Amino acid sequence: MPDARKPLILLGLILLVSTAVLVAGDKKSKSKAADASTAAQPVAQMEDDKRIVHALNRFTFGVRPGDVDRVRSMGLDQWFDEQLHPEKINDNAIEARLTPFRTLKMSTREMVENFPPPQVLRAIENGRMSMPSDPGKRAVYESRMAAYQRQQNNKEDKGAAGANTGLNNMDQPAADTKTTSGAQAAAGAPAAAGTKDAPAQMRLGPDDPPLTPGQRRQQKRREDAMYADIEGDFLLQMPPDARYKAILKMSAEERLDLARTYKGPRALQLVDGMKPEQRETVEAIVQPQAVVGGEISQAKLLRAIYSDRQLEEVLSDFWFNHFNVFIGKGPDRYMLNTYERDVIRPHALGKFKDILSATAKSPAMLFYLDNWQSVGPDSDLAKYGPQRRMGRRGRFARQRAQQQAKNRPSGLNENYAREIMELHTLGVDGGYTQKDVTELAKVLTGWSIDQPQLGGSFHFNERAHEPGNKYVLGHKVGNHGEKEGEEMLDVLAHHPSTAKFISRKLAMRFVSDNPPQTLVDRMADTFQKKDGDIREVLRTMFHSPEFWSADAYRAKMKTPFEFVASAVRVSGADIQNALPLVATLNRMGMPLYAMQPPTGYSMKAEAWVNSSALLNRMNFALALGSGKLPGASLDPQALLRGPAPADADAALAALEQSILAGDVSPQTHAVMQKQLSDPQISQRKLDDMDKKPNYGAIAGLIMGSPEFQRR
């Protein structure tokens, strides 16, 4: 009996061998680029047939079937100019795909209200907030309050047990969270290793505690009654609207039991056919934060795959990574949507000063890098505390404010000031000192958030602002309150070091890991002359000989996100559920919005080239091509141009041309050709010689090849 893993294992060996080749190729490209730059020699240019493929690989998330013909018919220059002006491109198709994700159009405060985080539950418990009257929202709140109160009761029980036995250190944690982080749960990652290939499923949230013995007995009685219904799929047999109403009529404890009972594919069936708001409500009953993180993650992938405004999508991804924030840090999970929608995307092709200013005032950035808590050492807040503004509000109000002040850092925080110079503008070698960091931190004191836990907006706190003159980069900043920060942002945006640093990062994304200095200098010159206009900087790069150098062709290693998006694009697959793709990126080491350090994910090949990562890519490519990826449907024959080949060899050649424009090395082609004798690939048996080859499996082999890993 043939080994079902044979194609994966053999081609996996090619990938392992090719790892050294990929890295060596980067070093070779770097050496050639450096030699050409130093000697000022003419740069060897690409052949005409490759220019369109190169542009599509760099300015989109991958070549789709028919893209090359479309660009050829309209002209490469015209196509690029159109991509530089995304507002001219009709993108209604992707908007229709995103319609079910209601959170994408919500404000941060609306998301907090609809999908209550722990701080809202605590506020309700303490009487500072009231339960909503809307039945759907109330069901979410009641269920999460039940889980929250169960957790609090368990903590109290464990505390009492620990006091009696002295064995506190042997208590089990309130919830088993080691199988999935908060960021992974929000992104729809599988709950446990045993479900890694299953679609994302409804599950208890990472903060839900185990049951006490009494609670287990009560649950058993409820489950016995519920299982009687489940045996006949009572809920699943209901129409979606009736099923939704039945869930709302349950008690909070019954809804938690429902989440434990309906798992895996059955959990997806539970919400199948429901309206978006109904589906979100049922999912929020289980874990509200997973709805927020899951929808924005799915939307990011779907835009990368299906949007016709591809350059805007590429740059939105680039700028989010450049101005990185982390989904796993408290309220940032709820702030991410407005950050990407209202801060990053509108400025992706605008002037650098505008996107820098927008990120600086974004609650997501202020919270992520702690600037919202930064207090000037000589400010009124540091000297007198919060009670000065209490007036006659009474002793209780003053005491509560004083207690809150004790729990909040009150000193100068330099995190954002350091990162804005090192990572956002000047670069680590941009000419600033530690003194400049401290002074800039003083300039930015008072740049804060109004009620961050409840989705508040930017707020300038005059009482936290450091008074007096400051000196940053030799520039005197007068005592102007909020305007001091705006003044310094303008200085940083127009600094020569910023022009070089941003131009180099753009060249790294679009040209090579080690871009020629001549190209960087030319782009930086445009950056300064055109007031940081990103559109003009990209235009300069597009018309530079270094961009079209023969050495630049397929010289960039795809990140996992780029690889997954490009594979789906080239396959023409229809994605009905993007959560399995989100889970795939988790396994590949690139969970969306979950890079904790402010550096963002690396754009260099060395960060992504290793045996485990490449085998994960092969697994994904084979699952996609073979039609085994959950939530996706694929017609492999659509990849072929002209009549479908009757034998595997012809199919391999045709698909190599369709997927990679024929850019396959003899070594890779030879090894893939050896796989064609496997019955799973050829689809042939002794008594069935007329059966067509498995086009999807062959396409999967090609998408997993070393050549497809590059763009």
Side-chain angles (χ1 to χ4, degrees), residues 595-615:
M595 182 61 170
Q596 187 169 0
T599 52
Y601 286 112
S602 174
M603 293 186 288
K604 292 192 173 184
E606 59 196 33
W608 305 111
V609 177
N610 60 73
S611 58
S612 176
L614 293 174
L615 285 173

Side-chain angles (χ1 to χ4, degrees), residues 420-701:
I420 197 175
M421 288 197 283
E422 178 180 334
L423 299 177
H424 298 173
T425 57
L426 307 177
V428 67
D429 299 319
Y432 65 91
T433 65
Q434 175 56 41
K435 178 66 174 176
D436 292 320
V437 172
T438 301
E439 289 292 285
L440 181 58
K442 293 178 180 178
V443 166
L444 293 171
T445 51
W447 285 46
S448 189
I449 313 169
D450 180 33
Q451 296 182 307
Q453 302 290 339
L454 299 178
S457 57
F458 172 80
H459 166 68
F460 180 70
N461 185 355
E462 182 71 43
R463 298 191 68 248
H465 183 67
E466 178 72 3
N469 296 330
K470 295 94 177 173
Y471 296 87
V472 186
L473 299 172
H475 182 84
K476 179 181 177 180
V477 184
N479 189 16
H480 305 307
E482 180 182 349
K483 292 183 179 180
E484 295 175 27
E486 296 170 352
E487 180 180 335
M488 275 311 305
L489 290 176
D490 188 72
V491 170
L492 290 169
H494 293 93
H495 197 283
S497 293
T498 298
K500 295 177 182 178
F501 182 65
I502 299 302
S503 295
R504 180 171 179 79
K505 283 200 71 171
L506 285 167
M508 286 175 62
R509 170 59 181 80
F510 289 103
V511 182
S512 68
D513 286 0
N514 300 281
Q517 190 60 45
T518 52
L519 174 63
V520 174
D521 291 343
R522 196 177 303 116
M523 293 168 65
D525 185 57
T526 298
F527 187 102
Q528 290 185 281
K529 289 180 178 178
K530 298 294 185 179
D531 194 27
D533 190 326
I534 301 304
R535 185 179 284 109
E536 293 303 319
V537 174
L538 292 178
R539 200 187 302 275
T540 294
M541 180 187 70
F542 180 80
H543 291 292
S544 293
E546 294 90 345
F547 179 79
W548 302 105
S549 165
D551 290 334
Y553 189 71
R554 296 197 189 278
K556 286 287 297 180
M557 181 75 178
K558 294 175 182 175
T559 67
F561 178 61
E562 293 166 351
F563 169 74
V564 168
S566 64
V568 177
R569 281 174 65 81
V570 79
S571 71
D574 180 37
I575 303 298
Q576 297 95 30
N577 179 9
L579 282 176
L581 298 180
V582 176
T584 294
L585 290 176
N586 293 342
R587 291 193 293 274
M588 290 182 178
M590 197 178 185
L592 296 176
Y593 306 107
M595 182 61 170
Q596 187 169 0
T599 52
Y601 286 112
S602 174
M603 293 186 288
K604 292 192 173 184
E606 59 196 33
W608 305 111
V609 177
N610 60 73
S611 58
S612 176
L614 293 174
L615 285 173
N616 274 331
R617 295 185 184 209
M618 171 56 73
N619 277 324
F620 169 75
L622 287 172
L624 175 65
S626 300
K628 297 179 180 179
L629 182 71
S633 59
L634 175 68
D635 177 12
Q637 193 163 327
L639 276 168
L640 297 164
R641 296 179 181 179
D647 66 89
D649 284 318
L652 176 64
L655 287 168
E656 285 176 347
Q657 184 62 40
S658 175
I659 295 173
L660 283 169
D663 297 322
V664 178
S665 70
Q667 177 194 20
T668 300
H669 176 79
V671 178
M672 286 195 296
Q673 196 170 35
K674 290 181 181 179
Q675 311 309 305
L676 302 183
S677 60
D678 190 289
Q680 293 191 76
I681 304 297
S682 67
Q683 295 274 338
R684 293 194 172 185
K685 302 176 184 178
L686 292 176
D687 58 348
D688 188 15
M689 295 301 293
D690 294 330
K691 196 169 185 180
K692 293 181 179 179
N694 188 335
Y695 302 126
I698 297 174
L701 292 177

Side-chain angles (χ1 to χ4, degrees), residues 45-306:
Q45 300 291 281
M46 293 176 196
E47 300 174 4
D48 290 343
D49 291 344
K50 292 186 174 182
R51 291 170 70 89
I52 293 176
V53 174
H54 179 62
L56 286 167
N57 272 326
R58 297 308 172 88
F59 297 121
T60 79
F61 279 106
V63 185
R64 296 173 302 181
D67 274 355
V68 173
D69 292 336
R70 283 191 289 270
V71 174
R72 184 183 292 117
S73 66
M74 69 185 300
L76 183 55
D77 287 354
Q78 183 179 341
W79 173 83
F80 182 68
D81 188 69
E82 182 181 71
Q83 288 294 317
L84 286 175
H85 296 87
E87 69 280 0
K88 298 179 180 179
I89 302 174
N90 185 319
D91 217 17
N92 290 338
I94 184 58
E95 292 305 319
R97 284 182 178 269
L98 301 180
T99 298
F101 304 138
R102 296 188 315 123
T103 60
L104 299 183
K105 295 185 178 180
M106 289 183 181
S107 67
T108 303
R109 190 174 294 276
E110 286 175 325
M111 283 193 286
V112 169
E113 292 173 354
N114 281 273
F115 309 100
Q119 60 266 23
V120 170
L121 303 179
R122 288 192 292 269
I124 291 176
E125 183 184 49
N126 296 329
R128 298 196 302 271
M129 292 180 62
S130 58
M131 295 281 281
S133 58
D134 176 80
K137 289 183 181 179
R138 192 174 186 87
V140 173
Y141 275 67
E142 288 174 345
S143 300
R144 300 321 303 160
M145 282 297 299
Y148 174 73
Q149 289 168 354
R150 179 186 293 176
Q151 182 183 37
Q152 297 304 108
N153 292 337
N154 283 1
K155 286 181 179 179
E156 292 176 2
D157 292 344
K158 288 179 180 179
N164 293 331
T165 64
L167 298 177
N168 292 28
N169 59 332
M170 295 180 66
D171 284 343
Q172 294 298 314
D176 182 9
T177 62
K178 64 184 178 181
T179 57
T180 177
S181 68
Q184 289 173 320
T195 62
K196 69 178 183 177
D197 293 323
Q201 59 189 42
M202 293 173 58
R203 57 194 178 277
L204 286 181
D207 296 326
D208 289 349
L211 302 176
T212 64
Q215 289 170 334
R216 281 198 295 270
R217 287 192 294 272
Q218 293 177 9
Q219 179 192 340
K220 181 66 167 58
R221 287 194 295 269
R222 291 192 299 267
E223 286 184 349
D224 287 343
M226 187 180 297
Y227 279 126
D229 293 336
I230 290 175
E231 287 177 1
D233 280 336
F234 179 72
L235 274 176
L236 299 186
Q237 291 175 11
M238 289 183 172
D241 193 59
R243 191 188 320 140
Y244 174 72
K245 291 178 180 178
I247 293 173
L248 292 192
K249 289 179 180 179
M250 294 178 179
S251 69
E253 292 290 344
E254 287 173 333
R255 294 190 202 106
L256 292 182
D257 294 340
L258 185 75
R260 295 176 183 272
T261 305
Y262 281 82
K263 298 178 180 179
R266 291 174 62 83
L268 299 178
Q269 292 174 359
L270 192 64
V271 296
D272 184 48
M274 289 185 181
K275 299 174 184 177
E277 185 173 357
Q278 294 174 334
R279 173 185 55 79
E280 288 172 345
T281 298
V282 174
E283 292 173 346
I285 285 171
V286 180
Q287 178 53 279
Q289 296 181 9
V291 179
V292 175
E295 290 195 352
I296 191 176
S297 297
Q298 291 182 80
K300 184 178 180 71
L301 272 160
L302 292 174
R303 283 193 176 106
I305 295 167
Y306 295 112

Side-chain angles (χ1 to χ4, degrees), residues 303-318:
R303 283 193 176 106
I305 295 167
Y306 295 112
S307 174
D308 286 328
R309 301 175 177 179
Q310 278 289 293
L311 181 56
E312 181 180 58
E313 294 306 319
V314 169
L315 284 170
S316 294
D317 178 60
F318 171 85

